[in-house]
Amino acid sequence: MKIVKTNIYRGPNHYALFPVIRHVLDLGHLEEWPTGRLGLAFNDGLVDALPGLGDHGCSYGEPGGFLRRLREDEGTWLGHVWEHVTLELQCMAGFDVSYGRTRSVDGQPGFYNMVFEYTDRDVGLAAARLGIELLMSLLPEEARNGEPAPEFDWPEERDDFIRSAQRRALGPSTASLVAAAASRDIPYLRLNQYSLVQLGHGKYQQRVQATITSKTGHIAVELACDKEETHRILEDVGLPVPKQHLVRSEDRAVRAAQRIGYPVVVKPFNANHGRGVSINLTDDEQVRVAFEQAHKHSRSVIIESFIAGLDHRLLVVDGELVAAAKRVPGHVVGDGTHTVAELIDSVNQDPRRGVGHEKVLTRIEIDHQAERLLKQAGFTIDSVPPAGEEVFLRSTANLSTGGTAIDVTDVIHPDNRAMAIRAVQAIGLDVGGVDFLTTDITQSFRNTGGAICEVNAAPGFRMHVAPSEGEPRDVAGPVMDMLFPPGTPATIPIAAITGTNGKTTTSRMLSHILKMAGHTVGMTTTEGVYVDGKLTCAGDMTGPGGAAMVLRDPNVDAAVMETARGGLVKRGMGFERSNVSACLNIAADHLGSDGIETLEDLSRIKRTVVEIADDVAVLNADDEHCLRMAQHTRAERICYVTMNHSHALVRQHIRAGGLAVVLEDGLNGQMISIYDNGTHTPLVWTHLVPATIEGRATHNVQNAMFAAGLAYGLGLSRENIEHGLRTFATSFFQTPGRMNVYDEHPFKVIMDYAHNAAGVAAMAGLADTYKISGTKRALLAAPGDRRDDDIKAIAEAAAGHFDHYICRRDDNLRGRGETEIPELLKATLMEHGVKEAAIAIVAEEEESVDTALRMSRPGDLLVIFADSLVRTWKQIIYFESEDAGERPVEPTAVAEPGPTLVAQPWEGQMDDVELISDERGVWIVQDEEAD
């Protein structure tokens, strides 16, 4: 039983619209051992180890359903059991997950796809590994296939896992803020493995770290961390504080305590969570011991007068007291029968207590402080306290050390409320916690003599969100209202674009429209991440990594996300929802890889982009696979795009008040029009959109229609959309590798990145619209990782549209032979009627581009299907200047169709030159080593 492959999906994916992990599991010989055969001992041992499995409903949809599956008939297979174990382990660690799915892999007996939900990636992976170890430890001997039972201490492994998971989890305070954000539809991004979180996107983002916010002043935090300075400021504004001295030596600590007068408190200068704090010290020796403990946490130590009373935490947010809790140190209550150790074990059995911050309360541990307090009370760990006597094991009431909290928000005296607000404002915090000691919180501090012992930056919310007693308080909500006042935006508009062809061009068109309308646009493409039109990170950034870059940029106020198959199938999406999404088309590309065998499979993958749209889903009504996506989207509206003005479904949609972008015939050419809610809005003539090359590039006409539909769905005006389309051209600067036209040579060159049959067919169709006096030539290639059938389809799409073909391969062979791709292209071209004399093979891309340029004559059209875009474009634009002295002179005769060869003089050496002849004439191909 082993994991053979893993995919970590960071966002919506084709398994679920939230993060999941997919493991491919090989059960090996255990495929023959379902749980029915493994026996009762295995099943009972599993439930004993993970009693929470009893709550799993499984396919029965009710508690106990999974246990029923374990035991009925032949049982269930271990891949399915592993799924539930992995989920339950995460839940035990405090991560609320429930989704899982296990299915066998077609054609591979014993192999399973096991998919499960996760909150933290590393915790999910660790849960899966521990789950396998647990299952293997429970196997009966006869199922081990001769392997010895592994050494496995389940309680120890379980607790280690929980502690490790808790170190990676968001703390309870940060988690409550994230939950409050989610309830307000405010997205969040975790920025590190600790508690730094971004709330909102782009220019509207705010950040929190624990409960410190983007609005928290640095000076205020520094003051709160300086207990001596805090004490002085509070004292200066007339707030009640104890007497206090800062010391750095044991002797000075004793002298300070004597000056203040016993009893005293000793605490570190800048520690937290009650670490190193000792209270109610009554003599010099106790102060010396306490100083030693406090000095472990801070060079400086504070000695202050002990204030009688109970510890209260008063939480102030944005100038308002939002919660108050009475905190009781960790303790046990004697019953006259059990020892202190037994009472601690009993207290720790409370299901609300767990390891670290995994639950509402924390387990009480025996340590130096507990032993000291027991000794002061005249007890040991083995003593039996009298019935009803409280035995304190902690000197401070922090929940993280086993304390409890009782909500007192509704009974706090108004004077105490006002005092807490003044204290936090005096320090300058937007979120602050006041530690206030008093015998009775319902009475004014003016009467009880209470005092403030600390003001805390980043105060914990745990005691208020889930108090041990009393009403839970929504303390994170006021923080959200402070960071994002009601009615103000928290996120930026997001457009997501997928499809087989046209994604990048459409993304760039939409980004240009938005930019012309005044937006600062963040865009992900296969070339990189662009912010405000500038490349910030090069490479294929169409996956979740690129999306995160855009959403984290504080300058961006609109996002355009090109979303490609590779990122979807391997990593999922980098954002949970979009305002508008589009699927342009579904065509054969990458079939046969990553489990995608058919167009239906590809459609299912790309459908994810459409599923997460909230406002508008823009779909190609001329593509049946895109049409089927309409039933899967949650978007409020569907916008159909069609180039067929007689499309029956779209006509029905329009008549029902639906939204559509339609290509219509008119006296002046073809018009892109928008229909919405019964209105008809002519947008722009296609020949006025530069990217369409006077309307001839029909694939870019369609891309412009999608860009218009997306922009309209984002709320842009007709004028802004038209202006954006009319100023967008397919220059290399704006759309590298997307129908880049170069007219500075005596012949025309078009460079395009098309790398599948549909893309090549679109360019071949464009070539057909050119009426030229010379030769139409194509430099043809195909990626090596495509199936042979896909490569043949590329050649078939080009066949018959050009007079001459040069076949090449990419620099990256992707497992193919040196000339395997060009040979296959050539053979397919010949199968479809292209004469062998009209085909040349120049395997390397750089050499083949140079060859094609040298072959070209005035009046020719050269279409280059490029892979290395920048290098190829440089070859094209620098060809005239770099090679002018070496190029062949103009031919002295024009070749007519037929076998006649036409000689052409050559300036330079003639060594190592290959002559390629066809029915029209002779082309000279210079070898790369020739002068």
Side-chain angles (χ1 to χ4, degrees):
M1 183 175 179
K2 61 182 180 181
I3 301 170
V4 296
K5 185 178 181 180
T6 298
N7 291 103
I8 300 168
Y9 297 97
R10 292 166 53 180
N13 56 85
H14 55 289
Y15 293 109
L17 297 183
F18 43 80
V20 297
I21 292 173
R22 170 203 176 220
H23 285 312
V24 178
L25 174 69
D26 178 9
L27 277 183
H29 75 281
L30 292 174
E31 173 71 1
E32 306 301 324
W33 287 86
T35 56
R37 187 181 177 191
L38 288 172
L40 290 177
F42 173 86
N43 294 331
D44 292 345
L46 181 63
V47 176
D48 287 343
L50 297 172
L53 291 174
D55 295 328
H56 290 215
C58 199
S59 57
Y60 290 104
E62 59 184 16
F66 175 65
L67 300 188
R68 182 176 169 186
R69 287 289 304 276
L70 281 178
R71 292 160 178 159
E72 68 181 358
D73 301 326
E74 62 182 346
T76 188
W77 272 256
L78 283 180
H80 180 216
V81 177
W82 180 39
E83 168 202 320
H84 282 270
V85 167
T86 301
L87 291 172
E88 180 59 25
L89 282 169
Q90 292 182 85
C91 290
M92 290 176 61
F95 296 84
D96 186 17
V97 294
S98 59
Y99 174 82
R101 187 176 74 177
T102 303
R103 298 289 185 271
S104 58
V105 178
D106 291 342
Q108 299 185 60
F111 282 75
Y112 291 83
N113 280 317
M114 195 276 275
V115 178
F116 63 94
E117 183 182 0
Y118 74 93
T119 300
D120 181 275
R121 181 196 66 176
D122 290 350
V123 173
L125 293 172
R129 290 192 297 268
L130 181 57
I132 284 184
E133 293 178 9
L134 174 62
L135 294 177
M136 297 300 288
S137 73
L138 295 172
L139 290 177
E141 184 176 353
E142 57 270 23
R144 295 188 181 283
N145 204 25
E147 296 181 5
E151 294 185 6
F152 189 73
D153 185 334
W154 166 242
E156 181 180 350
E157 296 289 344
R158 176 198 61 206
D159 288 354
D160 285 349
F161 164 74
I162 291 174
R163 291 188 182 95
S164 175
Q166 284 299 306
R167 285 194 293 270
R168 293 198 56 82
L170 289 174
S173 300
T174 311
S176 69
L177 289 169
V178 167
S183 70
R184 290 162 168 76
D185 288 331
I186 299 172
Y188 78 95
L189 296 169
R190 190 170 183 180
L191 301 181
N192 62 14
Q193 61 178 328
Y194 304 107
S195 295
L196 182 60
V197 175
Q198 174 184 314
L199 304 172
H201 289 156
K203 68 178 292 184
Y204 303 117
Q205 66 180 269
Q206 299 285 346
R207 293 180 181 177
V208 296
Q209 184 161 16
T211 57
I212 292 177
T213 78
S214 299
K215 297 183 180 295
T216 305
H218 176 74
I219 293 177
V221 174
E222 290 292 313
L223 288 175
C225 292
D226 186 330
K227 292 179 173 60
E228 183 183 32
E229 194 63 40
T230 296
H231 183 275
R232 183 178 297 113
I233 290 174
L234 297 182
E235 188 175 37
D236 287 346
V237 297
L239 290 168
V241 291
K243 297 177 182 179
Q244 187 181 90
H245 289 289
L246 183 70
V247 300
R248 291 191 175 182
S249 71
E250 186 178 303
D251 290 339
R252 288 182 181 273
V254 172
R255 290 198 294 272
Q258 292 171 347
R259 285 197 300 272
I260 291 172
Y262 289 107
V264 296
V265 174
V266 175
K267 59 185 180 183
F269 174 69
N270 53 8
N272 55 19
H273 295 299
R275 298 184 182 97
V277 178
S278 301
I279 66 172
N280 200 16
L281 307 179
T282 57
D283 59 43
D284 295 353
E285 183 57 34
Q286 289 179 354
V287 169
R288 292 184 184 278
V289 173
F291 177 88
E292 182 180 348
Q293 293 299 317
H295 200 252
K296 294 177 181 178
H297 301 278
S298 174
R299 290 181 58 194
S300 300
V301 174
I302 289 175
I303 314 298
E304 69 180 24
S305 56
F306 173 72
I307 305 297
L310 294 172
D311 183 10
H312 296 78
R313 167 60 61 81
L314 312 181
L315 180 64
V316 176
V317 175
D318 198 23
E320 295 291 336
L321 187 135
V322 298
K326 179 170 66 176
R327 302 192 296 177
V328 182
H331 67 283
V332 295
V333 180
D335 60 5
T337 303
H338 295 89
T339 66
V340 171
E342 291 170 337
L343 292 171
I344 292 172
D345 289 339
S346 177
V347 167
N348 285 339
Q349 293 302 311
D350 185 337
R352 296 177 300 168
R353 291 190 182 270
V355 177
H357 292 290
E358 66 163 309
K359 294 185 179 179
V360 174
L361 300 174
T362 300
R363 294 176 185 172
I364 298 176
E365 305 289 343
I366 295 296
D367 58 7
H368 168 79
Q369 187 177 138
E371 291 174 348
R372 179 178 65 82
L373 292 173
L374 284 172
K375 183 178 180 181
Q376 286 182 357
F379 295 116
T380 69
I381 196 70
D382 297 318
S383 301
V384 178
E389 182 169 344
E390 291 183 336
V391 180
F392 286 93
L393 302 165
R394 288 292 181 271
S395 56
T396 59
N398 297 80
L399 268 65
S400 58
T401 58
T404 56
I406 303 169
D407 180 72
V408 293
T409 308
D410 293 333
V411 298
I412 184 172
H413 193 278
D415 286 352
N416 298 338
R417 179 186 296 269
M419 176 263 314
I421 294 172
R422 284 191 63 213
V424 171
Q425 290 176 333
I427 301 302
L429 294 168
D430 58 337
V431 179
V434 177
D435 289 344
F436 180 58
L437 295 173
T438 182
T439 55
D440 188 350
I441 196 68
T442 68
Q443 300 298 311
S444 172
F445 71 92
R446 303 179 193 281
N447 300 325
T448 62
I452 298 171
C453 56
E454 284 187 24
V455 176
N456 296 275
F461 287 0
R462 185 183 179 194
M463 70 192 73
H464 308 296
V465 172
S468 312
E469 298 178 30
E471 181 181 348
R473 301 291 169 173
D474 176 18
V475 293
V479 177
M480 288 300 105
D481 292 339
M482 176 185 69
L483 296 177
F484 303 98
T488 60
T491 186
I492 59 177
I494 298 174
I497 300 169
T498 194
T500 302
N501 294 301
K503 298 185 298 295
T504 300
T505 300
T506 303
S507 297
R508 288 182 175 275
M509 282 182 172
L510 179 59
S511 295
H512 182 73
I513 293 170
L514 288 164
K515 181 178 176 63
M516 292 296 99
H519 290 277
T520 300
V521 184
M523 177 179 65
T524 64
T525 71
T526 50
E527 282 89 39
V529 170
Y530 292 79
V531 175
D532 200 26
K534 301 177 181 65
L535 180 66
T536 62
C537 183
D540 187 346
M541 304 302 292
T542 56
M549 288 185 187
V550 168
L551 298 177
R552 289 174 60 172
D553 194 299
N555 299 302
V556 170
D557 64 8
V560 177
M561 308 293 198
E562 178 185 346
T563 309
R565 175 209 61 88
L568 285 171
V569 76
K570 295 175 182 177
R571 299 179 297 279
M573 300 186 69
F575 46 98
E576 294 182 359
R577 58 208 309 176
S578 65
N579 297 88
V580 295
S581 290
C583 186
L584 310 185
N585 45 61
I586 300 294
D589 195 15
H590 294 281
L591 299 184
S593 62
D594 297 314
I596 303 173
E597 303 296 333
T598 65
L599 291 180
E600 287 72 21
D601 293 338
L602 185 58
S603 176
R604 181 171 51 85
I605 298 295
K606 292 182 178 291
R607 190 180 74 201
T608 305
V609 177
V610 175
E611 290 183 88
I612 67 166
D614 283 337
D615 300 330
V616 180
V618 186
L619 301 175
N620 187 346
D622 302 328
D623 186 310
E624 61 176 325
H625 297 289
C626 294
L627 272 179
R628 293 194 187 103
M629 296 180 185
Q631 61 186 313
H632 296 281
T633 184
R634 67 188 182 197
E636 292 183 6
R637 307 187 71 194
I638 293 175
C639 174
Y640 287 120
V641 173
T642 180
M643 302 180 75
N644 173 15
H645 66 272
S646 300
H647 198 295
L649 184 147
V650 176
R651 181 186 295 114
Q652 182 180 0
H653 180 68
I654 290 171
R655 288 176 176 174
L659 176 61
V661 181
V662 181
L663 185 65
E664 300 179 318
D665 292 328
L667 292 176
N668 195 34
Q670 291 186 311
M671 170 70 72
I672 298 174
S673 296
I674 297 176
Y675 288 85
D676 182 24
N677 197 28
T679 63
H680 173 219
T681 305
L683 184 63
V684 63
W685 296 105
T686 59
H687 64 267
L688 297 180
V689 179
T692 70
I693 309 182
E694 298 179 341
R696 289 182 295 184
T698 56
H699 61 290
N700 266 0
V701 171
Q702 187 179 65
N703 292 337
M705 294 170 69
F706 271 99
L710 289 162
Y712 188 85
L714 289 172
L716 273 71
S717 68
R718 188 202 69 79
E719 292 77 14
N720 281 331
I721 299 172
E722 179 188 8
H723 179 63
L725 291 177
R726 292 189 62 170
T727 55
F728 180 85
T730 57
S731 66
F732 186 80
F733 172 77
Q734 280 194 298
T735 56
R738 271 68 184 179
M739 208 174 67
N740 306 138
V741 180
Y742 193 75
D743 283 320
E744 299 302 316
H745 297 313
F747 48 88
K748 183 182 291 291
V749 183
I750 301 177
M751 184 184 78
D752 197 88
Y753 181 63
H755 53 280
N756 57 49
V760 171
M763 294 305 300
L766 174 63
D768 289 342
T769 67
Y770 281 94
K771 307 302 180 185
I772 62 171
S773 60
T775 298
K776 290 182 182 179
R777 182 173 291 105
L779 177 52
L780 197 61
D785 60 351
R786 304 303 196 269
R787 304 175 303 177
D788 284 0
D789 287 347
D790 298 326
I791 296 170
K792 292 177 180 179
I794 287 175
E796 183 179 352
H801 296 276
F802 300 92
D803 303 311
H804 186 260
Y805 301 83
I806 299 175
C807 300
R808 65 162 184 84
R809 57 166 171 78
D810 290 346
D811 294 343
N812 186 346
L813 298 177
R814 302 177 189 269
R816 297 280 186 167
E818 289 287 333
T819 62
E820 184 178 352
I821 294 295
E823 292 285 2
L824 184 55
L825 290 169
K826 177 181 178 181
T828 305
L829 288 169
M830 293 174 61
E831 289 175 6
H832 289 82
V834 181
K835 296 185 180 300
E836 183 175 9
I839 308 171
I841 292 179
V842 183
E844 294 183 357
E845 181 176 30
E846 189 171 8
E847 182 184 357
S848 68
V849 172
D850 186 65
T851 298
L853 291 168
R854 290 179 181 281
M855 284 183 175
S856 299
R857 298 291 181 271
D860 285 359
L861 171 65
L862 171 60
V863 177
I864 297 177
F865 295 101
D867 182 53
S868 178
L869 301 180
V870 174
R871 182 184 67 194
T872 300
W873 188 248
K874 286 182 176 179
Q875 283 184 266
I876 293 169
I877 63 175
Y878 293 134
F879 174 72
E880 184 79 33
S881 59
E882 290 185 358
D883 300 323
E886 302 180 11
R887 292 177 62 203
V889 300
E890 299 302 327
T892 57
V894 177
E896 296 295 333
T900 305
L901 302 183
V902 180
Q904 301 179 26
W906 174 263
E907 296 179 5
Q909 292 182 249
M910 295 296 291
D911 298 332
D912 300 315
V913 173
E914 177 185 4
L915 297 181
I916 302 176
S917 63
D918 71 354
E919 295 179 349
R920 297 196 57 193
V922 176
W923 289 269
I924 300 176
V925 182
Q926 183 182 20
D927 185 86
E928 64 178 355
E929 296 180 359
D931 292 334

